[in-house]
Amino acid sequence: MSKGLLFIISAPSGAGKSTLIERVREKIGGLGFSVSHTTRAPRVGEVDGVHYHFVGVDEFKGMADRGEFAEWAMVHSNLYGTSHAALDAVRSEGKDVILDIDVVGAINLKEQRIPGSVFIFIEPPSLDELEKRLKARNKDDDEIIRRRLKNARQELEKAPLYDYIVINDDLEEASAKLTSIIENERLRANEPEAMESE
Ligand code: ADP
Ligand code: 5GP
């Protein structure tokens, strides 16, 4: 049953976060995805309003100035943000919210100590495997992949700040772990305590 929880999920790009989130949402109900705004160009197959709201830099900055984002960050040279409207859209359906956001955005939300926030970090088994997955995904050019791998090292350092770390080695095993984290959090009698910041 939904309790209005926020599942904040971060991972270095290519670790398999989107794949895992999709699998978990197929397995358990009552989970809505917070559709972020971004200034990056859509990848092949991405649909505006489903995967992201794709906007220009001016529009994004206007929203930020008007306080329309719960959090936003510059990631891999593009702007990404979670709007209050995106969160409300999921909550109004009576669902728990999944947020797929970077470590800067996650730390920002952690500092806000929103009750019912659960922080989950997805780790790749190794940096070599991460590189393989980024290449296998075949959606980003070499320069973008290089930038994402460089950022991955810094992002991995933030993993201990999260409530849970799931290593995505075997996909079935990792999705079972993510599912059980969500189900366990839904059974909690009390709100998870806000974590200490760095
Ligand atoms: P992210 O959302 O973290 O950037 P994706 O979900 O797009 O990553 O996954 C990156 C690539 O790795 C995709 O091609 C995906 O199919 C593949 N992948 C995801 N999880 C695994 C896994 N456990 N083992 C092997 N490949 C995986
Ligand atoms: P991608 O371009 O691969 O879809 O996402 C790149 C990174 O941006 C990922 O780490 C993803 O989690 C992060 N991201 C996506 N949406 C948001 C958001 O709304 N806020 C923040 N801070 N990061 C986001």
Side-chain angles (χ1 to χ4, degrees), residues 5-9 116-120 163-164 181 185 188 192:
L5 300 174
L6 291 183
F7 293 102
I8 295 126
I9 307 185
S117 302
V118 181
F119 294 85
I120 305 168
D163 297 316
Y164 297 95
I181 290 167
E185 287 294 341
R188 253 182 203 274

Side-chain angles (χ1 to χ4, degrees), residues 7-186:
F7 293 102
I8 295 126
I9 307 185
S10 305
S13 181
K17 184 170 28 114
S18 314
T19 309
L20 279 171
I21 290 173
E22 207 179 299
R23 289 213 162 197
V24 168
R25 290 187 65 205
E26 279 164 11
K27 281 201 224 170
I28 42 180
L31 284 175
F33 185 72
S34 162
V35 181
S36 296
H37 283 69
T38 183
T39 61
R40 92 151 155 71
R43 295 191 186 115
V44 175
E46 283 183 332
V47 179
D48 189 29
V50 176
H51 299 93
Y52 283 104
H53 300 288
F54 295 99
V55 293
V57 174
D58 288 346
E59 189 180 341
F60 191 101
K61 287 187 172 161
M63 287 180 71
D65 289 346
R66 291 190 297 274
E68 291 178 25
F69 287 121
E71 64 73 36
W72 64 268
M74 170 83 85
V75 193
H76 314 308
S77 308
N78 288 301
L79 295 164
Y80 293 82
T82 306
S83 68
H84 293 291
L87 295 178
D88 290 345
V90 179
R91 287 175 173 142
S92 70
E93 292 179 337
K95 292 179 176 171
D96 293 327
V97 190
I98 291 206
L99 288 89
D100 167 348
I101 65 173
D102 87 312
V103 293
V104 174
I107 290 168
N108 180 337
L109 286 182
K110 201 171 71 174
E111 283 165 355
Q112 297 181 37
R113 294 174 178 266
I114 302 167
S117 302
V118 181
F119 294 85
I120 305 168
F121 193 88
I122 312 291
E123 270 191 24
S126 67
L127 285 170
D128 282 349
E129 174 63 19
L130 185 65
E131 184 170 359
K132 277 189 204 142
R133 288 185 193 171
L134 281 168
K135 288 182 174 159
R137 185 165 67 184
N138 208 16
K139 287 195 175 164
D140 299 299
D141 66 33
D142 287 353
E143 172 52 31
I144 290 179
I145 289 180
R146 255 198 304 279
R147 201 187 297 156
R148 288 177 181 229
L149 280 170
K150 194 167 154 246
N151 288 353
R153 291 170 206 279
Q154 291 158 352
E155 289 161 344
L156 286 165
E157 284 173 14
K158 304 291 182 202
L161 293 170
Y162 286 69
D163 297 316
Y164 297 95
I165 297 176
V166 175
I167 298 175
N168 182 20
D169 192 349
D170 177 74
L171 187 58
E172 283 307 320
E173 214 174 287
S175 66
K177 283 179 182 162
L178 190 54
T179 303
S180 70
I181 290 167
I182 291 170
E183 288 177 334
N184 285 347
E185 287 294 341
R186 284 178 168 175

